[in-house]
Amino acid sequence: MTQEFLSVKLCELDNKIGQVHNRIHLSESADHAQILAEVEALQKECVKNEIALRNKLRFSKAHVVGSLAESCDRVEEFFQEKNFENPASDHWGDTFSAEEKVLLAEYALDFAMQAADNALLISLKAMDAQMTLLEKEGERIL
């Protein structure tokens, strides 16, 4: 069961990575007006996705998920304290130069790769835990 659920989530990640790749590729040949339209559309998408994720976290009955929600809140508070607005905000980056924005984009992609590696590690550990549980239950039956 664990593997099937994680496979579905992996397919979602594959699709999202494909979309990111395609959007960046298409944006390389876009004019300024098209870039601005893409920014506006993506900002709305990011806000919608963040709200959906926050709601999933907030309404989960699992204790560990509640801890994740609290951590997300603390990270958001940290960024607000540092006046580092959410990239989905209309005013994000008004104080950053073009070079700084490129650097931030590079690090955001680095963090995304690190998050993917951590997601893989957590997934493998979840599979290990599920298999260990099944093996112990099998031992009890014998």
Side-chain angles (χ1 to χ4, degrees), residues 54 57 63 65-75 77:
R54 291 273 183 173
L57 290 171
H63 175 72
V65 175
S67 296
L68 283 174
E70 290 173 12
S71 295
C72 288
D73 290 341
R74 285 196 304 266
V75 169
E77 288 170 9

Short mmCIF file of all heavy atoms in Angstrom, two decimals, residues 54 57 63 65-75 77:
data_model
loop_
_atom_site.label_atom_id
_atom_site.label_comp_id
_atom_site.label_asym_id
_atom_site.label_seq_id
_atom_site.Cartn_x
_atom_site.Cartn_y
_atom_site.Cartn_z
N ARG A 54 -1.84 24.18 3.03
CA ARG A 54 -2.04 24.62 4.42
C ARG A 54 -3.31 24.00 5.01
O ARG A 54 -3.33 23.58 6.17
CB ARG A 54 -2.14 26.14 4.49
CG ARG A 54 -0.88 26.85 4.20
CD ARG A 54 -0.09 26.98 5.43
NE ARG A 54 1.10 27.75 5.14
CZ ARG A 54 1.91 28.12 6.08
NH1 ARG A 54 1.63 27.84 7.33
NH2 ARG A 54 3.00 28.78 5.78
N LEU A 57 -2.70 20.39 5.80
CA LEU A 57 -1.91 20.29 7.02
C LEU A 57 -2.76 20.61 8.26
O LEU A 57 -2.71 19.90 9.26
CB LEU A 57 -0.71 21.25 6.97
CG LEU A 57 0.42 20.92 6.00
CD1 LEU A 57 1.40 22.07 5.93
CD2 LEU A 57 1.13 19.64 6.40
N HIS A 63 -0.70 13.70 14.38
CA HIS A 63 0.13 14.60 15.19
C HIS A 63 1.35 15.11 14.41
O HIS A 63 1.68 16.29 14.48
CB HIS A 63 0.57 13.89 16.47
CG HIS A 63 1.51 14.71 17.30
ND1 HIS A 63 1.10 15.82 18.00
CD2 HIS A 63 2.85 14.60 17.50
CE1 HIS A 63 2.15 16.36 18.61
NE2 HIS A 63 3.22 15.63 18.33
N VAL A 65 1.72 15.61 11.32
CA VAL A 65 1.33 16.60 10.32
C VAL A 65 1.09 17.95 10.99
O VAL A 65 1.43 19.00 10.45
CB VAL A 65 0.11 16.12 9.51
CG1 VAL A 65 -0.37 17.19 8.54
CG2 VAL A 65 0.46 14.85 8.75
N GLY A 66 0.52 17.92 12.20
CA GLY A 66 0.35 19.16 12.96
C GLY A 66 1.69 19.82 13.24
O GLY A 66 1.82 21.05 13.16
N SER A 67 2.70 19.00 13.52
CA SER A 67 4.05 19.53 13.74
C SER A 67 4.60 20.17 12.47
O SER A 67 5.27 21.20 12.52
CB SER A 67 4.98 18.42 14.21
OG SER A 67 4.57 17.93 15.45
N LEU A 68 4.32 19.55 11.32
CA LEU A 68 4.74 20.15 10.05
C LEU A 68 4.08 21.50 9.83
O LEU A 68 4.72 22.45 9.38
CB LEU A 68 4.40 19.22 8.87
CG LEU A 68 5.28 18.03 8.63
CD1 LEU A 68 4.69 17.15 7.52
CD2 LEU A 68 6.68 18.46 8.27
N ALA A 69 2.80 21.58 10.15
CA ALA A 69 2.07 22.85 9.99
C ALA A 69 2.69 23.94 10.86
O ALA A 69 2.88 25.07 10.41
CB ALA A 69 0.59 22.66 10.33
N GLU A 70 3.03 23.58 12.10
CA GLU A 70 3.67 24.54 12.99
C GLU A 70 5.02 24.99 12.44
O GLU A 70 5.37 26.17 12.52
CB GLU A 70 3.85 23.93 14.38
CG GLU A 70 2.55 23.74 15.13
CD GLU A 70 2.75 22.98 16.44
OE1 GLU A 70 3.92 22.81 16.89
OE2 GLU A 70 1.74 22.54 17.01
N SER A 71 5.78 24.06 11.88
CA SER A 71 7.08 24.41 11.30
C SER A 71 6.91 25.35 10.12
O SER A 71 7.67 26.31 9.97
CB SER A 71 7.82 23.14 10.85
OG SER A 71 8.13 22.34 11.95
N CYS A 72 5.92 25.08 9.29
CA CYS A 72 5.65 25.98 8.15
C CYS A 72 5.31 27.38 8.64
O CYS A 72 5.76 28.37 8.06
CB CYS A 72 4.51 25.43 7.29
SG CYS A 72 4.96 23.99 6.33
N ASP A 73 4.52 27.46 9.70
CA ASP A 73 4.16 28.76 10.26
C ASP A 73 5.40 29.49 10.77
O ASP A 73 5.55 30.70 10.55
CB ASP A 73 3.15 28.60 11.41
CG ASP A 73 1.78 28.14 10.92
OD1 ASP A 73 1.48 28.29 9.72
OD2 ASP A 73 1.00 27.63 11.76
N ARG A 74 6.30 28.76 11.43
CA ARG A 74 7.52 29.40 11.94
C ARG A 74 8.41 29.90 10.81
O ARG A 74 9.00 30.98 10.90
CB ARG A 74 8.29 28.43 12.85
CG ARG A 74 7.64 28.26 14.21
CD ARG A 74 8.57 27.61 15.22
NE ARG A 74 9.10 26.34 14.80
CZ ARG A 74 8.58 25.15 15.09
NH1 ARG A 74 7.48 25.08 15.81
NH2 ARG A 74 9.15 24.04 14.67
N VAL A 75 8.52 29.12 9.73
CA VAL A 75 9.32 29.55 8.58
C VAL A 75 8.71 30.82 7.98
O VAL A 75 9.42 31.78 7.66
CB VAL A 75 9.44 28.42 7.53
CG1 VAL A 75 10.02 28.94 6.23
CG2 VAL A 75 10.28 27.29 8.08
N GLU A 77 6.87 33.05 9.48
CA GLU A 77 7.12 34.15 10.41
C GLU A 77 8.55 34.67 10.28
O GLU A 77 8.79 35.87 10.30
CB GLU A 77 6.85 33.70 11.85
CG GLU A 77 5.39 33.51 12.18
CD GLU A 77 5.18 32.84 13.53
OE1 GLU A 77 6.16 32.68 14.31
OE2 GLU A 77 4.03 32.47 13.81
#
